[in-house]
Amino acid sequence: MGGAMAKKQNRYVFKRDWSVGNAAAENDQKFLENCFIDTGYIEQLSNLDNNKSIVLGRVGIGKSAILAEIEASQHHIINIDPEQFSISYISNSTVLKYFDNLGVKLDPFFQALWKHVLCVELIKKKYKINTKEDSNSFYQTLRGWFIDNEVRKQALEYFSKWGGVDFWETTEIRVRELTRKIETDLGGVLGGGAASVEAKVSGSERLTEEEKTTIRERAQKIVDGVQMHALHEVISTIGREAFNSKYDNYYILIDDLDLEWADNQVRYRLIRALIDTVQRFRKIRNLKIIISLRSDLLETVVNETRGAGFQEEKYEDYFIRVNWSVEELRNLVDIRISELIKEKYTQNEANFYDIFPERVFKKKPTFDYMIERTLKRPRDIILFVNKCFDVAAGRPNMTQRLIVQAEADYSSSRLNSIMEEWIEIHPDINIHVEMLKAMRARFTVNDIPVDELLEQIMRYGDFEKSKDPVTRTAHNVFTIAKVDRVEDALEFLGVYFHVLHKVGICGIKTGRSGRPSWSEGGVGSIPPKAINLESKIYIHPMVWMALGIGGVEWGGADSPISP
């Protein structure tokens, strides 16, 4: 449907209820059902012999839509909602906080939580366990699996000990039981009964460094031994006894990990534990656990759990990074416009150029103009088209003036979206963009006036404790209100533009020839030390209007982001 441009627009009267979809996949069922574009990811994720199972991409790239299509196309689906975890209970546990602050690594416990929950959810689905009677009946089957040798008996004992036989219970109840059990075992390390445990945990009873070391070592042994061997045997036995048919495939889908379902530090460690768990469950050949994860959230998880031995490259075989070509996005828009026109007017096919003018600014193909003002994400182009429909309500034709009018609101919403997307990693990102308001659409680093640089540095003066790398660099290399050396200025600007490049606000060209580099949601970002005084900076056209940048109309072969 993305063929040649029509010679003229067909005349429709635009209405306020016109839309080619919702920005969020969960609210876009109608268009997803009728207009889903499979760009090859579904086959990779559905294939149980393919390790690809962690769907990565930035906000609005279509991760949730991919999981929704998997759910619609497969028979045995288990959805795990992170909010089902009793995370508030874990986050508020004074016992866990005490041992965490003492330096005890709780990661094995978080892994055990995921493994336990996933095992039980699988069994519930497979054997249709919904009541206590169902559970009691199945437990006899379970005994038969584990009774024939000592190793498997340990696995059976695990289920009895950790509440696994109560298969009908909710995930939240099971997580609470597991947490209470580890709290009790850890409390035993402190000794002296409940009053003594409370005194130590509350801090009212002070410990010597030697006492802390002894407690830490004993507690770590308990955490490290959270029935991990028995759990591994449970996973192996489930795969062997219950999930051994290549024609009876099961998929566990986990989405919404980016929502505020836990205290951030707990959430990061649970996500890291989940990634480890996905790898472990590959032993079950007709099961696949598929999770979706924002690229920036993965970066945060890696940074926050790096000390726990997480190495991103070890999991590269499991990552599937979602991106879209211009042709695929054009096809997506054409199909959705056709669906809209069929619903409102006629059953005849329609495409983008049946609604929009062929060109804007005399020479620029309209779709090229609009797609250049996106981060090549479905959400961006859907929102831009919808904004155009809004401003054209009641009119028979879409015009260049209406498109530009829609762009103003669209540009502001996209800049706000970028800042919201990256605020966990870069909490001062709203300050970072301020300096760009004084810039041209493209410039060299050397063009930045000293007074503008000084003004930007001053903005960070009240944020000495910020964890934002740009702010930290400003405080590390400058005495606030003073720029002494070019080297210091360049060190700051290297980090500054590295971050703006990573989040998609700027493109960078470090050499004399070639095209600017644009980061795909943090992937391929140019390192700070590669940015020098001669580096060219290109502010993304998507945010020109939001930043009040007049810009130049980029087009033709030299356009830095043209299709």
Side-chain angles (χ1 to χ4, degrees), residues 85 108-121 123 139 142-143 146-147 149-167 174-175 177-179 181-182 185 222-238 277 281:
F85 272 76
F109 168 65
F110 293 136
Q111 291 179 33
L113 281 179
W114 280 115
K115 290 170 184 175
H116 181 91
V117 167
L118 295 175
C119 283
V120 174
E121 291 298 326
I123 290 172
Y139 188 60
L142 188 68
R143 287 176 60 85
F146 294 109
I147 204 67
N149 64 50
E150 286 302 317
V151 174
R152 294 184 190 175
K153 283 181 182 178
Q154 292 176 19
L156 183 62
E157 290 170 3
Y158 165 83
F159 272 110
S160 300
K161 182 178 180 180
W162 292 83
V165 295
D166 300 330
F167 293 106
R174 283 195 294 273
V175 170
E177 288 175 348
L178 285 162
T179 305
K181 180 67 173 66
I182 196 72
D185 290 350
I222 289 175
V223 174
D224 291 344
V226 182
Q227 299 288 325
M228 294 302 280
H229 182 73
L231 256 175
H232 295 165
E233 181 58 31
V234 168
I235 295 171
S236 297
T237 304
I238 286 176
T277 302
F281 271 80

Side-chain angles (χ1 to χ4, degrees), residues 36 98 143 154 163 204 219-221 245 256 264 278 289 307 326 331 335 350 374 390 421 438 457 472 487 496:
F36 181 79
Y98 173 80
R143 287 176 60 85
Q154 292 176 19
S204 60
Q220 193 65 61
K221 287 181 180 179
S245 169
D256 294 332
N264 277 343
V278 167
I289 301 171
V326 172
N331 192 23
I335 290 175
T374 73
D390 285 345
E421 179 182 357
I457 293 164
R472 289 205 312 267
E487 292 85 352
Y496 175 81

